[in-house]
Amino acid sequence: MGQLSSALGAYQVEALRREFKGFTDVIEKSMRDLKENVETKLRNIKDTSNSSAVYTRWGSKNCPGSADLLLSGYVGGSLFSHTGAAVEPLCLPRNPEWGDYRDETDGAKAYIYGAEYQTGDSAGKLIKLHDHDVPCAVCLVRNRSVVKMFPARKTCDEGWKLEYHGYLMAGYYNHSAGSSYTCVDSDPDTLQGGHIDNNGYLFYLVEAICGSLKCPPYVNGRELVCVVCSLEK
């Protein structure tokens, strides 16, 4: 009888040991899974925050398939004839928000206008864009460290990824307002109903002028292209 009790006790102890070990194995696996999940999420957050880049696609309502669309809007800027004009164009949202305001154009203020293509004497399909209003898109690319516009190129070097290519544009050389060189999409969009000659911030094609600019390789009077590339991580 004593031996039976002893054997039964040993069996119960072993059963409890196995049950406890199974329980601890489950806990340990859950902790490992939790740790791996947290580490993965932290890596993803780090990758997103450290390797994403944002750029504006001028002349387009959309982003390429490799990028996320953050904003599809209207190009805005200073009037071409204002001597105190801001130089850079902006991509304005279609749903503006407001702070304190007064609906009068008076006092010491700066102004922002829409933008138009000035392509009336251009070759190819660009001539049809003349006086049409210009859209824009703000794009987010992930796993990219740099986005750069390269003038006089329409392809990207090895290791870089094409975002879009187009034509180099800027303000007219004899206008009062300053402007900046901007890469406008090669297949440009327009804004619906925006084909009236209202002027504003104006986009003209950029031509090469020989002299201090070396010709060749450049050609006098030839319009320049451009490309926007992102550097893969």
Side-chain angles (χ1 to χ4, degrees):
M1 186 68 177
Q3 291 179 345
L4 179 61
S5 297
S6 177
L8 182 60
Y11 173 79
Q12 290 175 332
V13 169
E14 180 61 23
L16 286 172
R17 188 190 68 79
R18 287 196 300 268
E19 183 177 350
F20 181 74
K21 185 178 186 305
F23 176 73
T24 56
D25 288 346
V26 170
I27 294 296
E28 289 176 358
K29 184 179 184 302
S30 298
M31 292 299 294
R32 286 195 302 271
D33 292 344
L34 177 61
K35 181 181 178 183
E36 291 175 1
N37 189 36
V38 170
E39 289 176 347
T40 299
K41 288 183 176 180
L42 288 174
R43 281 195 301 271
N44 290 340
I45 291 172
K46 183 178 180 181
D47 289 343
T48 301
S49 62
N50 291 341
S51 60
S52 297
V54 175
Y55 67 90
T56 300
R57 188 179 188 182
W58 304 101
S60 180
K61 299 174 184 176
N62 301 297
C63 298
S66 59
D68 297 331
L69 179 66
L70 300 182
L71 184 153
S72 181
Y74 318 126
V75 177
S78 294
L79 186 65
F80 70 96
S81 59
H82 285 177
T83 56
V87 172
E88 300 288 341
L90 298 175
C91 190
L92 300 173
R94 297 170 183 261
N95 54 340
E97 298 175 346
W98 310 99
D100 296 334
Y101 61 87
R102 183 173 63 181
D103 291 333
E104 299 177 18
T105 53
D106 60 352
K109 306 285 178 61
Y111 300 111
I112 192 163
Y113 297 79
E116 292 181 355
Y117 300 109
Q118 297 294 294
T119 54
D121 57 356
S122 304
K125 61 187 175 183
L126 294 178
I127 193 171
K128 298 179 181 179
L129 299 174
H130 186 65
D131 284 338
H132 280 263
D133 297 341
V134 185
C136 54
V138 178
C139 308
L140 170 71
V141 282
R142 303 182 187 277
N143 298 318
R144 301 287 187 273
S145 55
V146 176
V147 175
K148 173 71 175 173
M149 188 272 281
F150 296 94
R153 295 293 302 274
K154 58 182 180 181
T155 58
C156 300
D157 289 338
E158 184 178 355
W160 293 74
K161 184 179 184 302
L162 173 69
E163 296 299 327
Y164 74 96
H165 62 87
Y167 291 93
L168 194 66
M169 294 191 179
Y172 184 60
Y173 78 95
N174 205 27
H175 283 166
S176 300
S179 65
S180 62
Y181 292 113
T182 304
C183 191
V184 177
D185 197 272
S186 62
D187 189 20
D189 294 325
T190 61
L191 295 174
Q192 185 176 1
H195 59 275
I196 300 173
D197 184 14
N198 288 319
N199 289 316
Y201 192 95
L202 304 180
F203 286 99
Y204 291 81
L205 288 165
V206 176
E207 294 180 345
I209 301 298
C210 295
S212 55
L213 180 63
K214 304 305 179 186
C215 298
Y218 291 89
V219 179
N220 196 69
R222 183 175 293 181
E223 291 81 5
L224 296 183
V225 294
C226 54
V227 66
V228 173
C229 306
S230 59
L231 182 62
E232 296 182 316
K233 185 180 177 183

